[in-house]
Amino acid sequence: MHTKMRNQAFFYFSLVFLCYCTTTLGQPAQAPALPALAPAQPANAPTKPADAPTPPGPPDVTKILQKAGGFTILIRLLKRSAVADQIKGQLNDTKNGFTLFAPTDAAFSNLKSGTLNSLSDEQKIRLIQFHTLPTYYSLANFQTVSNPLRTQAGDTNPGDYPLNVTSVGNQVNISTGLVNASVSGTVYSDNQLAVYQVDKVLLPLDIFVAKPPVPAPAPAPTKPKAKKKTAGSPESSTSATTTSTVVNSDAVKFTGQAVMVSVGVSVFVAALSML
């Protein structure tokens, strides 16, 4: 009896446990929570414009020459004289462009020994500026330019910094009045900056030709000194004669007056005696 009841109890417990397990395991696993959706943007909301690309800066002349090779001395002078910064600033500020005549290291080595070392800092700046034109020139432009061309160095007056550029066919020649050079190739050209290789250093007259000394101003004319009058001079004699004549004339006048007074007194006395 007890065994039967125990068996029934175990059966019922097993049945309940089996039903519970079947219900729990049969349910699907809970799906993970979805992220919160961003609020929908209105259809007519303005869209943010994309940032405009930064425009490229002006070309760097020293980097251009470094890439080409063979311009070590010119690059050093461009940096020390600050002409490289001057070119970059002008390319930024104006639309005229720039032209550089670039002598090679070989061209500098052909200069007389000690030429560069003999120049002052100011003269070195002028020398490099003499190789730069404040306008962009293509090779074709040199066929129609009006000479002399103005450089960054200064005036185009004779004896200062005149630069004459002529073009015959594909040959471009440069004359400074002291040096005749030729363009031997185009290093760089982009309608803003032109860099032309030249076979000689361009030497300006103002630096490398001694100017005649300025004549001293003429002395101011001196006034003639007045002559001193001496006793023996004609003027002194004339003056003395004049003075003597005046004195004698006064003496004569005085004598005449005395005679007239004496005669008058005598007449008066005679008249009284007759009375």
Side-chain angles (χ1 to χ4, degrees):
M1 180 74 179
H2 292 290
T3 301
K4 186 176 180 180
M5 291 178 64
R6 190 167 54 248
N7 289 339
Q8 288 179 349
F10 179 75
F11 174 74
Y12 290 140
F13 178 78
S14 298
L15 184 60
V16 172
F17 180 75
L18 180 62
C19 290
Y20 174 79
C21 291
T22 301
T23 304
T24 303
L25 295 176
Q27 291 180 349
Q30 186 176 2
L34 295 175
L37 296 176
Q41 204 173 23
N44 58 352
T47 57
K48 183 180 179 181
D51 294 334
T54 304
D60 190 324
V61 66
T62 56
K63 290 182 179 180
I64 292 171
L65 293 172
Q66 287 173 347
K67 184 178 179 180
F71 298 97
T72 305
I73 299 175
L74 178 60
I75 292 172
R76 183 172 70 247
L77 291 173
L78 282 168
K79 290 181 177 179
R80 289 184 179 179
S81 63
V83 175
D85 295 334
Q86 186 182 27
I87 294 174
K88 190 173 183 179
Q90 178 150 339
L91 292 176
N92 251 336
D93 299 338
T94 70
K95 296 181 180 180
N96 294 334
F98 224 88
T99 300
L100 171 67
F101 294 116
T104 61
D105 291 339
F108 278 102
S109 65
N110 289 331
L111 292 175
K112 185 179 177 181
S113 179
T115 297
L116 291 180
N117 293 334
S118 66
L119 301 180
S120 65
D121 290 341
E122 178 64 24
Q123 288 175 326
K124 289 178 181 178
I125 293 174
R126 293 294 185 188
L127 175 63
I128 299 304
Q129 288 178 331
F130 189 58
H131 289 72
T132 58
L133 309 177
T135 305
Y136 169 82
Y137 290 101
S138 66
L139 290 177
N141 293 147
F142 289 126
Q143 296 179 357
T144 57
V145 295
S146 298
N147 286 305
L149 296 180
R150 182 176 180 83
T151 70
Q152 290 292 99
D155 294 334
T156 59
N157 297 328
D160 290 334
Y161 297 94
L163 191 69
N164 294 283
V165 182
T166 57
S167 178
V168 180
N170 295 327
Q171 183 69 36
V172 177
N173 301 314
I174 307 169
S175 176
T176 71
L178 188 62
V179 172
N180 294 319
S182 299
V183 173
S184 53
T186 301
V187 179
Y188 180 86
S189 181
D190 66 352
N191 296 324
Q192 185 182 18
L193 171 67
V195 181
Y196 300 116
Q197 178 178 318
V198 292
D199 58 354
K200 293 181 182 179
V201 180
L202 307 179
L203 305 180
L205 293 171
D206 187 68
I207 297 177
F208 293 95
V209 174
K211 293 185 176 181
V214 179
T222 57
K223 295 182 178 180
K225 295 182 179 179
K227 295 182 179 180
K228 293 183 179 180
K229 297 179 181 179
T230 59
S233 64
E235 293 182 2
S236 176
S237 177
T238 303
S239 177
T241 303
T242 304
T243 304
S244 177
T245 302
V246 172
V247 171
N248 292 336
S249 176
D250 291 340
V252 171
K253 290 179 180 179
F254 178 76
T255 302
Q257 291 174 356
V259 171
M260 291 178 66
V261 171
S262 179
V263 171
V265 171
S266 298
V267 172
F268 180 73
V269 171
L272 288 177
S273 61
M274 290 177 67
L275 292 176

